[in-house]
C-alpha cells in the first residue's frame, strides 16, 4: 500500500508500565530523567480522569465455572440469537416482552446492528472504562432487564430505588459495578429464555469479580463501591443457585458492609445495601431454619412503636417487621431438640420460652395496631365477591413496601402459631391463627401485580402453603408458584413435591377426604351466591376452625436449626475472613469512607 502524506503515525512505548506490574520488572530499565517522569505522571492523570480504568486484570485469578443449568424454562419473545434489530425509523416502539409479564424493553437500536447475544464464538469485551452512556446493543438489553426485572425486587425495601434508578447511572463511571449489573441482567435472561446461554452472564460476573479482587488489594480503594459491587455479585450467585461452597461473595458482601459501618441507621446506598443483604439472609434462614448471623439487636432498628401520625413512613415500619421476623426466626431455630432430663430445669426453660413467645406476639400485635393507615388494605374482597375464581380473598395493597411488610407480618403470625412452647398446631386457637394468616398471605400473592415483591412472596407463600388443608386452595398455590417460576426463572420446582408430601397427596385416603371436603364446600358456596356480605363473613368465621380436620392435621414443624453457617465468619476481624489472599485493610482515610455523596 503506498504511503500518504495525510497519515500521522505515532509510537508509544508502554513496556515500562507493563514491567512495573511484575516484581523486579523495573530493575531492567535505566532510571528516567525528571522531565520524563513528570510527563508520564501528567499523561497518567489525564487518562485516569478521562477513562477511569480499573486495576489490571490479575492473570493468576481463576474463578470456578458455574454448573450447567437445566433448560426447563418458558420461551419468550426476547431477541433470539442472530436476530436482526428492527430499524428504529420503521418501528419506533419495538418491545422485548417478558413471558407472562407486562413489562417491556423499548429498543433504540438500528437495523444495521446484528444481535449476537447467544453466540458463544463472539469475542466478549466487557466494559472496562468510563462512558457517558451505554452504546452497545448487548449492554443496553442486559441493563434494561436488570433495571426492570432484577433491580425491582432488590429495591423492595428502599424508598429511593437505588439499584434500579440511581446506581445504574453511577455504574457508567465504575466498570466493575457496571459489569455486576450486566451479569445479573444477562443471568435473568438465561433463566427465562433457553435461547440465551450462560457464557455472557458468567463472563461479566468474572470480570466484575476480578475487578473487585484487584480493588481489595488496594488500601486506597473506594470502600463504598467495593461493598456495593459485592452485594450485587451476591445477588447474581443467588440467582445462579451456586453450590454453597462456591458462593464467592455471600460472606464477602456482609463483611464489606460491616467494614463500611453500615447498619439500620444508614441512609443512601449504605442503607439500601444493608437492608437488601439482611433481607436475603432472613429469607434463607426462614427456608433452612437457621438463626440469622447478625444479631437483630445489633442492627440499630428504631423499635419505638407508637401510633404513626406522619406520612411516608412505610419503609421504617417495614424495617421494624423485618426485625421482628428475624427475632422469630432465631426463636424458632433455637427450639430445644429434646426435653431436659431434669423436670425442674425443663419447666424453667419452658416458662422462659413462653415469655419470649408472648413478647414476640405482642410486638406483632403492636406493629399491626400502630402502622399508618396506608399500610392496611385499600380494599378487601371475599372470594365470592370477585370474578377471579380464586379461593382466596383479594387483598389490595398499594405501595411495594406495604406489600412486603404485610407479607412479613402474616408470615410472622403464621410462624408464631406453629412454635407456641405449650400448644401444638392442633390447638383450635393456634390452628385458626395460622390458617387465617396463611389465607391472607395467599390472598396477597394471588392478586399482586408487582413482581418486585416476588422474593418475599415466594418464601411467605411456601410457609403459608404448608398450613392449607383444602384441595382447591392447595392446587391454586401450585399455580401461583408456577407463575412465579415463569416470571422470574427461579428454580423452585423442589417446592412442589415437598408441599404435596406435607399435604398428604401421596396418601390416597387423605386425598379422598380432601375431595369430599372440597365438594361440600363447593355446595355451600353455591348456596351462598346471593347472601349478604355480613352473612358470608359469619359463615367463614364459623367454618375457619375446621374442628375435625384440626384433629388430624399435624401441621409443619420446624427442624432444629443452627446459626447461619454462611455468615458466621463474615467479618474481616476473623482469621477465616472472606477474600483470603486478596483482602488488604483500607487505609485510615478510607476505612470510614463517607458515602453521603452516593445518592443519599
Amino acid at each position: 500500500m503506498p504511503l500518504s502524506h495525510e497519515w500521522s503515525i505515532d509510537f508509544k512505548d508502554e513496556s515500562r508500565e507493563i514491567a512495573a506490574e511484575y516484581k523486579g520488572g523495573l530493575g531492567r530499565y535505566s532510571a528516567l530523567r525528571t522531565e520524563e517522569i513528570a510527563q508520564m505522571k501528567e499523561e497518567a492523570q489525564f487518562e485516569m480522569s478521562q477513562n477511569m480504568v480499573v486495576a489490571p486484570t490479575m492473570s493468576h485469578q481463576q474463578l470456578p465455572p458455574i454448573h450447567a443449568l437445566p433448560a426447563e424454562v418458558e420461551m419468550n419473545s426476547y431477541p433470539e440469537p442472530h436476530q436482526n434489530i428492527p430499524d428504529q425509523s420503521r418501528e419506533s416502539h419495538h418491545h422485548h416482552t417478558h413471558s407472562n409479564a407486562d413489562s417491556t424493553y423499548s429498543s433504540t437500536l438500528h437495523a444495521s446492528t446484528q444481535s449476537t447475544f447467544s453466540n458463544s464464538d463472539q469475542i466478549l469485551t466487557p466494559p472496562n472504562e468510563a462512558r457517558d452512556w451505554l452504546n452497545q446493543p448487548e449492554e443496553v438489553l442486559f441493563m434494561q432487564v436488570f433495571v426492570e426485572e432484577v433491580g425491582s425486587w432488590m429495591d423492595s425495601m428502599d424508598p429511593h430505588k437505588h439499584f434500579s434508578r440511581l446506581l445504574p447511572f453511577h455504574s457508567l463511571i465504575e466498570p466493575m459495578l457496571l459489569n455486576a449489573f450486566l451479569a445479573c441482567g444477562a443471568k435473568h435472561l438465561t433463566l427465562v429464555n433457553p435461547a440465551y446461554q450462560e457464557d455472557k452472564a458468567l463472563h461479566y460476573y468474572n470480570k466484575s469479580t476480578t475487578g473487585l479482587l484487584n480493588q481489595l488489594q488496594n488500601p486506597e480503594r473506594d470502600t463504598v463501591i467495593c461493598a456495593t459491587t459485592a452485594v450485587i455479585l451476591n445477588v447474581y450467585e443467588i440467582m445462579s443457585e451456586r453450590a454453597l461452597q462456591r458462593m464467592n461473595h455471600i460472606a464477602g458482601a456482609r463483611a464489606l458492609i460491616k467494614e463500611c459501618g453500615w447498619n439500620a441507621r444508614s441512609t443512601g446506598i449504605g442503607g439500601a445495601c444493608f437492608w437488601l443483604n439482611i433481607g436475603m439472609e432472613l429469607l434463607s434462614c426462614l427456608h433452612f431454619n437457621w438463626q440469622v448471623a447478625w444479631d437483630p439487636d445489633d442492627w440499630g432498628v428504631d423499635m419505638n412503636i407508637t401510633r404513626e401520625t406522619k406520612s411516608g413512613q412505610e419503609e421504617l415500619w417495614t424495617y421494624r417487621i423485618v426485625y421482628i421476623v428475624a427475632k422469630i426466626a432465631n426463636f424458632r431455630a433455637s427450639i430445644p431438640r429434646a426435653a431436659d432430663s431434669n423436670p425442674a430445669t425443663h419447666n424453667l426453660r419452658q416458662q422462659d420460652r413462653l415469655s419470649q413467645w408472648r413478647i414476640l406476639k405482642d410486638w406483632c400485635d403492636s406493629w399491626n395496631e400502630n402502622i399508618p393507615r396506608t399500610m392496611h388494605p385499600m380494599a378487601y374482597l371475599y372470594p365470592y365477591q370477585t370474578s377471579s375464581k380464586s379461593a382466596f380473598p383479594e387483598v389490595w395493597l398499594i405501595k411495594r413496601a406495604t406489600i412486603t411488610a404485610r407479607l412479613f407480618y402474616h408470615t410472622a403470625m403464621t410462624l408464631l402459631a406453629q412454635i407456641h412452647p405449650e400448644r401444638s398446631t392442633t390447638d383450635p386457637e393456634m390452628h385458626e391463627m395460622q390458617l387465617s394468616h396463611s389465607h391472607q398471605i395467599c390472598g396477597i400473592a394471588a392478586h399482586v401485580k408487582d413482581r418486585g415483591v416476588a422474593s418475599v412472596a415466594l418464601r411467605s407463600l411456601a410457609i403459608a402453603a404448608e398450613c392449607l388443608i383444602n384441595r382447591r386452595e392447595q392446587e391454586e398455590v401450585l399455580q401461583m408458584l408456577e407463575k412465579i417460576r415463569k416470571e422470574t426463572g427461579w428454580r423452585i420446582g423442589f417446592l412442589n413435591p415437598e408441599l404435596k408430601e406435607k399435604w398428604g397427596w401421596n396418601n390416597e385416603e387423605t386425598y379422598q377426604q380432601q375431595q369430599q371436603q372440597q365438594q361440600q364446600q363447593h355446595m355451600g358456596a353455591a348456596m351462598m351466591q346471593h347472601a349478604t356480605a355480613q352473612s358470608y363473613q359469619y359463615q367463614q368465621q364459623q367454618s375457619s376452625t375446621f374442628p375435625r380436620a384440626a384433629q388430624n392435621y399435624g401441621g409443619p414443624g420446624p427442624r432444629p436449626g443452627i446459626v447461619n453457617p454462611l455468615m458466621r465468619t463474615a467479618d474481616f476481624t476473623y482469621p477465616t475472613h472472606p477474600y483470603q489472599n486478596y483482602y488488604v485493610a483500607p487505609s485510615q482515610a478510607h476505612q470510614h469512607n463517607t458515602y453521603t455523596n452516593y445518592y443519599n
Side-chain angles (χ1 to χ4, degrees):
M1 179 179 296
L3 295 176
S4 171
H5 294 291
E6 298 177 357
W7 289 8
S8 178
I9 301 176
D10 182 81
F11 295 93
K12 185 176 181 180
D13 183 9
E14 298 180 343
S15 60
R16 185 181 296 272
E17 288 82 358
I18 296 174
E21 298 172 12
Y22 298 87
K23 185 178 181 180
L26 283 178
R28 298 179 177 271
Y29 289 80
S30 59
L32 288 173
R33 294 191 300 271
T34 304
E35 58 269 24
E36 292 177 334
I37 295 176
Q39 182 180 1
M40 290 182 64
K41 287 185 177 180
E42 182 179 354
E43 292 176 355
Q45 291 175 357
F46 174 77
E47 290 177 359
M48 179 62 70
S49 63
Q50 292 295 319
N51 299 324
M52 296 290 291
V53 181
V54 295
T57 301
M58 299 178 60
S59 59
H60 64 275
Q61 167 62 18
Q62 294 183 0
L63 297 169
I66 293 180
H67 57 278
L69 296 173
E72 300 176 355
V73 292
E74 286 289 316
M75 292 290 292
N76 60 37
S77 55
Y78 282 128
E80 301 297 334
H82 308 290
Q83 175 182 343
N84 291 332
I85 302 298
D87 191 334
Q88 186 179 6
S89 61
R90 298 181 187 177
E91 190 176 0
S92 60
H93 298 287
H94 175 71
H95 299 291
H96 308 294
T97 306
H98 189 288
S99 64
N100 298 315
D102 54 4
S103 68
T104 56
Y105 306 109
S106 300
S107 174
T108 58
L109 310 176
H110 297 287
S112 59
T113 306
Q114 290 290 330
S115 175
T116 56
F117 300 132
S118 302
N119 185 0
S120 59
D121 297 330
Q122 180 184 4
I123 298 177
L124 298 171
T125 56
N128 60 359
E129 60 183 26
R131 74 274 299 281
D132 294 326
W133 51 72
L134 298 179
N135 54 13
Q136 298 298 320
E138 178 180 86
E139 296 175 2
V140 172
L141 175 62
F142 293 162
M143 182 61 83
Q144 286 179 323
V145 173
F146 171 82
V147 167
E148 297 194 15
E149 299 296 335
V150 184
S152 61
W153 65 261
M154 292 174 65
D155 283 331
S156 59
M157 292 188 289
D158 179 18
H160 302 293
K161 307 293 181 278
H162 281 83
F163 293 104
S164 60
R165 296 182 185 176
L166 301 178
L167 283 173
F169 292 97
H170 195 74
S171 70
L172 294 174
I173 60 173
E174 295 292 347
M176 71 176 178
L177 186 62
L178 177 56
N179 281 312
F181 283 140
L182 298 179
C184 290
K187 182 60 191 176
H188 180 84
L189 281 177
T190 67
L191 293 175
V192 299
N193 191 338
Y196 291 89
Q197 304 302 315
E198 180 74 22
D199 55 349
K200 292 297 181 67
L202 181 58
H203 196 75
Y204 285 118
Y205 166 82
N206 286 345
K207 188 72 174 179
S208 181
T209 296
T210 302
L212 176 60
L213 295 177
N214 285 334
Q215 288 296 315
L216 291 179
Q217 299 175 80
N218 177 13
E220 307 300 319
R221 65 181 174 269
D222 187 330
T223 56
V224 171
I225 294 301
C226 288
T228 305
T229 300
V231 168
I232 299 168
L233 291 173
N234 182 203
V235 169
Y236 173 92
E237 291 176 338
I238 292 176
M239 294 171 63
S240 301
E241 289 190 325
R242 311 189 86 185
L244 296 182
Q245 65 273 18
R246 292 165 59 197
M247 288 272 193
N248 296 318
H249 301 287
I250 188 169
R254 170 64 58 81
L256 289 171
I257 286 174
K258 289 185 174 181
E259 182 180 76
C260 290
W262 294 339
N263 56 30
R265 292 185 296 271
S266 300
T267 58
I269 185 58
C273 286
F274 172 82
W275 284 111
L276 172 62
N277 187 261
I278 286 293
M280 289 191 298
E281 183 195 5
L282 178 56
L283 294 176
S284 296
C285 290
L286 290 176
H287 174 66
F288 292 108
N289 192 31
W290 290 339
Q291 296 185 45
V292 294
W294 194 338
D295 189 342
D297 291 332
D298 295 333
W299 294 357
V301 181
D302 175 13
M303 289 301 293
N304 183 24
I305 298 181
T306 57
R307 176 74 65 180
E308 185 59 70
T309 57
K310 297 180 181 179
S311 60
Q313 299 295 308
E314 290 84 1
E315 282 75 20
L316 172 60
W317 287 91
T318 302
Y319 303 153
R320 286 169 173 166
I321 194 62
V322 169
Y323 167 88
I324 295 173
V325 173
K327 297 288 285 188
I328 293 174
N330 287 354
F331 181 81
R332 181 179 72 148
S334 62
I335 292 177
R337 302 192 179 191
D340 197 290
S341 57
N342 187 325
T345 304
H346 172 73
N347 291 336
L348 185 63
R349 185 171 62 182
Q350 282 293 94
Q351 289 301 315
D352 180 64
R353 290 191 61 83
L354 179 59
S355 176
Q356 294 180 46
W357 187 93
R358 287 171 176 167
I359 291 174
L360 295 172
K361 176 65 164 54
D362 289 343
W363 276 350
C364 290
D365 292 339
S366 179
W367 182 90
N368 190 51
E369 292 169 0
N370 290 282
I371 56 176
R373 178 62 187 87
T374 54
M375 298 190 74
H376 287 287
M378 178 67 182
Y380 188 97
L381 296 176
Y382 293 100
Y384 84 100
Q385 294 178 291
T386 71
S387 59
S388 63
K389 299 181 179 180
S390 173
F392 303 107
E394 181 174 345
V395 184
W396 182 23
L397 302 165
I398 294 180
K399 192 173 180 178
R400 180 179 298 171
T402 295
I403 300 173
T404 300
R406 297 298 299 183
L407 286 171
F408 272 126
Y409 163 71
H410 292 299
T411 301
M413 296 295 285
T414 302
L415 292 174
L416 285 174
Q418 298 172 2
I419 57 177
H420 193 286
E422 295 182 349
R423 301 183 185 180
S424 69
T425 54
T426 59
D427 178 89
E429 183 180 349
M430 293 299 102
H431 178 74
E432 180 178 2
M433 177 177 166
Q434 73 169 356
L435 194 61
S436 63
H437 286 282
S438 295
H439 283 160
Q440 297 302 307
I441 292 173
C442 295
I444 295 172
H447 301 95
V448 69
K449 297 178 175 61
D450 186 352
R451 290 196 304 277
V453 300
S455 58
V456 178
L458 179 61
R459 178 47 34 203
S460 298
L461 194 58
I463 292 173
E466 296 179 355
C467 308
L468 302 179
I469 58 176
N470 181 281
R471 179 79 177 200
R472 179 189 171 198
E473 295 174 349
Q474 295 169 351
E475 290 176 347
E476 185 173 345
V477 165
L478 294 182
Q479 295 172 3
M480 284 189 276
L481 292 175
E482 177 64 12
K483 180 176 180 288
I484 293 176
R485 184 193 70 80
K486 289 181 178 181
E487 292 181 348
T488 65
W490 294 342
R491 304 292 193 267
I492 57 177
F494 66 93
L495 286 175
N496 286 27
E498 286 185 2
L499 289 175
K500 290 179 180 179
E501 181 179 358
K502 289 182 179 294
W503 292 334
W505 282 21
N506 299 330
N507 186 316
E508 185 63 26
E509 180 180 354
T510 302
Y511 173 78
Q512 294 296 336
Q513 292 177 354
Q514 291 179 337
Q515 287 290 92
Q516 182 179 3
Q517 182 185 32
Q518 183 174 351
Q519 291 175 0
Q520 293 175 350
Q521 291 181 346
H522 283 174
M523 183 180 299
M527 297 172 61
M528 293 293 299
Q529 286 296 323
H530 302 288
T532 63
Q534 290 82 359
S535 176
Y536 183 85
Q537 182 177 5
Y538 174 78
Q539 293 291 336
Q540 288 291 97
Q541 293 173 347
Q542 292 299 311
S543 61
S544 62
T545 55
F546 293 101
R548 284 192 294 175
Q551 298 175 6
N552 300 324
Y553 178 68
R559 300 177 297 276
I562 58 176
V563 176
N564 183 353
L566 304 179
M567 295 287 195
R568 282 187 298 184
T569 60
D571 195 306
F572 291 122
T573 60
Y574 291 108
T576 56
H577 64 74
Y579 302 127
Q580 291 284 330
N581 304 323
Y582 294 99
Y583 175 78
V584 175
S587 64
Q588 192 66 27
H590 290 72
Q591 191 166 6
H592 300 289
N593 193 340
T594 59
Y595 48 87
T596 54
N597 293 330
Y598 290 95
Y599 303 108
N600 267 324

